[in-house]
Amino acid sequence: MPRFDEYAEGVEKKKASFSHYNILPLNITSGPTQPVMEIPEIKAAVELLRWTQNLPMPRPDPTSVPQEIEGPVVNDLLDWLWQTFGFQKGNVENQKEHLILLLANMDMRGIDSARQGERQIHMIHRNTIDRLMKKVFQNYISWCRYLHLESNIKIPRDESTQQPELLYIGLYLLIWGEASNVRFMPECLCYIFHHMARDLYDIISDRREGFFEPPFQREGSDDAFLQLVIQPIYNVIYNEAVMGKHGTVSHSKWRNYDDLNEFFWSKKCFKQLGWPMNQASDFFTSPT
């Protein structure tokens, strides 16, 4: 028996190293460090995302946190977005890795020979985040210009770091990560992001102490965004596709992706849908 007890203790100590991951073992805290985590740009990007100072905290809801998650819930900026907007934990982990790799790869490509010696004490350069912002939000900015809207990507006046920029990028990636077939409607994603970016700015610019109430929250669940935002739009897509009978019905009888997305190229979407979205809007009317 003592030998089996000793074996069990050894397994328990190494349990964290058995965690699932794609490329970056972000949640493994014991065992040998993986070589990929020693790349200076990766280390710098990880540290950048873990800078959560000065952020107001969402009111904790223990029923929405999966039981298998141990330790503090908000370890980095994407964890904060998870608790604030009700994204799914799996999506958060995927997009966290996605954002770290984007930052590291873009920063690595920007290294010149004069900076090679800096890599051991590397920091993600401000220009890298600016270039990533332009790349991620190119379509959103074009959409705002077309509709003569002011962009909701706003930085608090007293902000001295690029924490807000990373929050906006993370927010868009998390929206995209759970969008399912709504990804085929890019201007619809712009509409969703436009309103959620406004909610984000209102939160990070409010310096009052204490917890704030998350905009999206479903008791006992961590899929509030999916259920409250994406699923209603997905149901419209699905019902219209059923009406189309695999494209055999005249297009005048049902709406395809382009028809649905065209709705978001006009300001009437703001009047008819609003935010939170009005489920009684004609946009959600089932085809007959």
Side-chain angles (χ1 to χ4, degrees), residues 1 53 59 100 102 105 132 139 144 175-176 193 212 223 227 279:
M1 285 295 293
Q53 282 81 343
R59 186 175 301 282
I100 290 171
L102 282 173
N105 288 336
L132 185 56
N139 188 58
C144 287
I175 292 171
W176 183 88
F193 174 80
F212 66 86
D223 62 353
Q227 296 293 333
Q279 301 290 324

Side-chain angles (χ1 to χ4, degrees), residues 263 269 272-273 277-285:
F263 177 70
C269 65
Q272 294 187 20
L273 279 186
M277 293 184 298
N278 178 16
Q279 301 290 324
S281 167
D282 289 344
F283 178 82
F284 294 106
T285 301

Side-chain angles (χ1 to χ4, degrees), residues 4-15 17-18:
F4 289 109
D5 290 341
E6 184 179 344
Y7 178 76
E9 290 178 3
V11 171
E12 187 67 23
K13 291 179 181 179
K14 297 179 181 178
K15 185 171 65 174
S17 64
F18 301 151

Side-chain angles (χ1 to χ4, degrees), residues 105-123:
N105 288 336
M106 291 188 72
D107 202 69
M108 198 177 297
R109 290 198 300 269
I111 292 179
D112 54 35
S113 57
R115 289 166 48 197
Q116 288 295 334
E118 303 174 8
R119 298 184 73 243
Q120 297 304 317
I121 50 172
H122 191 74
M123 294 179 63

Side-chain angles (χ1 to χ4, degrees), residues 259-287:
D259 297 326
L260 292 169
N261 192 52
E262 188 176 350
F263 177 70
F264 296 95
W265 275 109
S266 169
K267 281 190 174 181
K268 67 181 180 183
C269 65
F270 290 88
K271 296 180 181 178
Q272 294 187 20
L273 279 186
W275 192 263
M277 293 184 298
N278 178 16
Q279 301 290 324
S281 167
D282 289 344
F283 178 82
F284 294 106
T285 301
S286 299

Side-chain angles (χ1 to χ4, degrees), residues 74-129:
V74 178
N75 294 310
D76 51 54
L77 298 181
L78 270 75
D79 282 344
W80 186 87
L81 289 168
W82 163 46
Q83 287 295 293
T84 299
F85 293 106
F87 294 107
Q88 295 180 93
K89 185 58 177 174
N91 176 39
V92 172
E93 293 302 320
N94 286 335
Q95 298 307 324
K96 188 182 303 183
E97 181 178 83
H98 185 190
L99 180 51
I100 290 171
L101 292 174
L102 282 173
L103 288 168
N105 288 336
M106 291 188 72
D107 202 69
M108 198 177 297
R109 290 198 300 269
I111 292 179
D112 54 35
S113 57
R115 289 166 48 197
Q116 288 295 334
E118 303 174 8
R119 298 184 73 243
Q120 297 304 317
I121 50 172
H122 191 74
M123 294 179 63
I124 299 297
H125 287 73
R126 190 177 191 90
N127 184 51
T128 297
I129 302 176

